[in-house]
């Protein structure tokens, strides 16, 4: 599967997109890169005290209506995806604590992770 990074007005920065059609439940991407026991702004939690910094993953934005979810090192499609669809995930369901909290523009709720206090 081919992914690409592009500027994206919705987030005022860059985002990750697919060039291919992807079916619900398919693995969109396998995360690779250094793993740390502490979270960073660009890391993705893949297990207890395991945070990976993937060169594509750093462009996966938050969405309250995500196109994917994180399952260990796999990024899995939540629905059928088509060329040009953004690859994003719900930080509140995947991350224990979000390092750089922010307000979700769609819901008005704070994005802080499952246990964010």
């Amino acid at each position: 599967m081919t992914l690409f990074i592009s500027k994206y007005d919705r987030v005022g920065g860059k985002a990750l997109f697919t060039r291919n059609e992807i079916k619900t439940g398919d693995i969109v991407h396998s995360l690779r890169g250094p793993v740390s026991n502490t979270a960073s702004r660009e890391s993705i939690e893949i297990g207890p005290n395991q945070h990976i910094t993937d060169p594509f993953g750093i462009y996966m934005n938050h969405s309250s209506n995500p196109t994917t979810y994180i399952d260990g090192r796999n990024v899995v499609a939540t629905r059928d995806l088509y060329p040009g669809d953004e690859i994003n995930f719900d930080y509140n369901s995947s991350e224990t604590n979000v390092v750089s909290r922010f307000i979700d523009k769609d819901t008005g709720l704070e994005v802080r992770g499952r246990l964010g206090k």
Side-chain angles (χ1 to χ4, degrees):
M1 292 184 212
T2 306
L3 302 175
F4 69 98
I5 300 159
S6 183
K7 288 186 177 182
Y8 195 38
D9 289 338
R10 183 181 76 81
V11 297
K14 294 182 179 179
L16 187 64
F17 301 89
T18 181
R19 292 189 194 279
N20 303 85
E21 191 169 312
I22 301 168
K23 297 294 181 193
T24 302
D26 283 356
I27 295 173
V28 174
H29 179 63
S30 293
L31 299 167
R32 294 180 179 86
V35 176
S36 174
N37 62 356
T38 57
S40 73
R41 184 181 177 283
E42 295 182 332
S43 67
I44 297 172
E45 188 172 328
I46 57 173
N49 299 315
Q50 294 182 321
H51 307 271
I52 193 166
T53 303
D54 176 88
F56 284 109
I58 63 174
Y59 295 102
M60 289 177 58
N61 294 307
H62 163 78
S63 176
S64 56
N65 185 23
T67 58
T68 67
Y69 65 92
I70 307 300
D71 183 16
R73 288 180 182 249
N74 293 321
V75 179
V76 182
T78 60
R79 59 180 178 259
D80 289 349
L81 302 175
Y82 300 94
D85 283 349
E86 183 184 3
I87 305 302
N88 52 42
F89 68 103
D90 182 353
Y91 296 3
N92 280 328
S93 67
S94 296
E95 304 295 307
T96 300
N97 287 294
V98 172
V99 173
S100 298
R101 296 176 180 188
F102 59 94
I103 301 298
D104 182 312
K105 291 179 183 178
D106 294 331
T107 65
L109 300 174
E110 184 178 37
V111 177
R112 58 188 190 175
R114 292 187 311 272
L115 302 177
K117 296 178 182 173

